[in-house]
Amino acid sequence: MSTLSDLVHAQGLLTDADVEWLHRLAGDGQLLADLASADMVIWIETSDGSFVAVTHSRPSGAATLFYRDLVGEKVRPQWRTQVQAAFESSAIVDSSSPDWFEETPTRVRAVPIRRREGKDEGQIIGVLTRHTNLGEVRMPSRQQISFDECANDLFHMIASGEFPDLSAPTAPRRGAPRASDGLIRLDVDGITTFASPNALSAFNRMGFDDELEGEALAEVTTRLVPPSRQVDESLPVVVTGRAPWRTDMEARGVTVSLRAIPLKDHGNRIGAIVLCRDVSELRHQEQELITKDATIREIHHRVKNNLQTVASLLRIQARRTHSDEAREALTQAMRRVESIAVVHDTLASGLSQTVDFDEVFDRVLKLVAEVASAPNTRARTQLEGRFGVLPSEYATPLALALTEVVTNAVEHGLAGQEGIVRIEASRTSELLRVTVADTGHGLPEGRVGQGLGTQIVRTLIQGELSGSIEWKGAEGEGTQVIIEIPMRWISV
């Protein structure tokens, strides 16, 4: 399905600032749908003068009207006149009589979406429609009446360009309070005029055993939060409804997330909506994840240190060995251990269990540079393309395999001469292809060697990465090694 940005840019009639405004409004589509107990659809004008739907939000506490999503569809004939009128008049247009949709009576409201910059009047960039299912209408409860009043206030703010508020900091949607989690309505002085049952329950769990209505929410939170506990500096402006921010408050082991939405009427503050949600379990899970991430990073750090210790011991042993063959074997083992340590060092520096392999391979090439400094050998490496991000379980065998291949190219392909080792990486959604080519001696008699290094590379590429490896070249023509790894095995 196309994203909002794709659909908007396909029409080419709106600016990037318009798209950002629509993104912010779409982010609160679920809130509007839940408050109004109705489907919410955002429409933008097309190049042919019609309108196309770019977002569709369904109410979570009421029946939706539409079985299929409207995103990408053009406005239907029965709504077009109303949507066009709201767009051209810059005013909210309500249907004069019930609109029938598939034998269901509905009520439609068209709200012009105005984008303002500073103190200017702004311009209309789209239309928001509310589709209420009249077939599901019952005697409204006090909560539904209050929710509907909040929705109407937000609709008028959308029409006047006062909602959404771009000065509000963006925050992760995970754990964000919703209308159904708890809603508190404040007047201009910060006094609670309505508190939903879920909102009252959240404050009861923090130790408040009275009624919220009639109380100043700021005073309630002051009594709940222990004096010794450090609170977020944004808490006072959130509980008074003066700023469109989010914050957490904690008392008696309960954490409640709060989000304030100031309500305005042509620039004058008339009150606020405060959404609240008990996120105690969510915060506990997040803390556990942070602890686990820190533990994993510490493990990678210790493994890296241990591998470097092993590499140092191998280096010392190689220097004290009188046999050239034994010295060469120990040196190769040292490089293999160091290449694995590079991956663990990279993982120890971040929270993710994925690796930017381009960073890893840059460090692997520095290890190879030690080989290139051998007497009578002048080798230069050239890297083209990008590997991208790989999961750690693939980064380790690939780093070790490429260390072997590049080292062999320098140590054997270019032994005693000057030349270039070119590494080219290309990646698609289905395949990672790495080519290592040197300008050296080439393969003796055109055949691949059967040494330990070759066996290691085959095992890593074919066994652990389910890939393929191929050697090409002839004596005197250089060697080309082609490695292909299917991306379907890689999930990042």
Side-chain angles (χ1 to χ4, degrees), residues 340-363:
I340 299 173
V342 166
V343 178
H344 285 281
D345 189 30
T346 304
L347 290 168
S349 63
L351 292 174
S352 175
Q353 287 304 295
T354 59
V355 178
D356 181 352
F357 197 79
D358 295 286
E359 177 185 343
V360 172
F361 192 65
D362 283 342
R363 298 174 65 179

Side-chain angles (χ1 to χ4, degrees), residues 246-299:
R246 267 182 63 182
T247 188
D248 287 355
M249 64 174 293
E250 185 177 350
R252 296 177 60 177
V254 176
T255 303
V256 173
S257 178
L258 302 172
R259 178 196 175 188
I261 304 175
L263 299 176
K264 299 178 181 179
D265 183 8
H266 294 90
N268 299 316
R269 194 168 63 86
I270 61 174
I273 299 169
V274 178
L275 303 175
C276 52
R277 178 180 181 182
D278 186 343
V279 293
S280 304
E281 184 61 28
L282 183 62
R283 295 294 181 264
H284 178 67
Q285 292 173 358
E286 290 175 348
Q287 187 59 48
E288 285 185 340
L289 289 175
I290 291 173
T291 302
K292 289 179 180 178
D293 285 334
T295 302
I296 291 171
R297 289 202 310 275
E298 179 62 22
I299 290 172

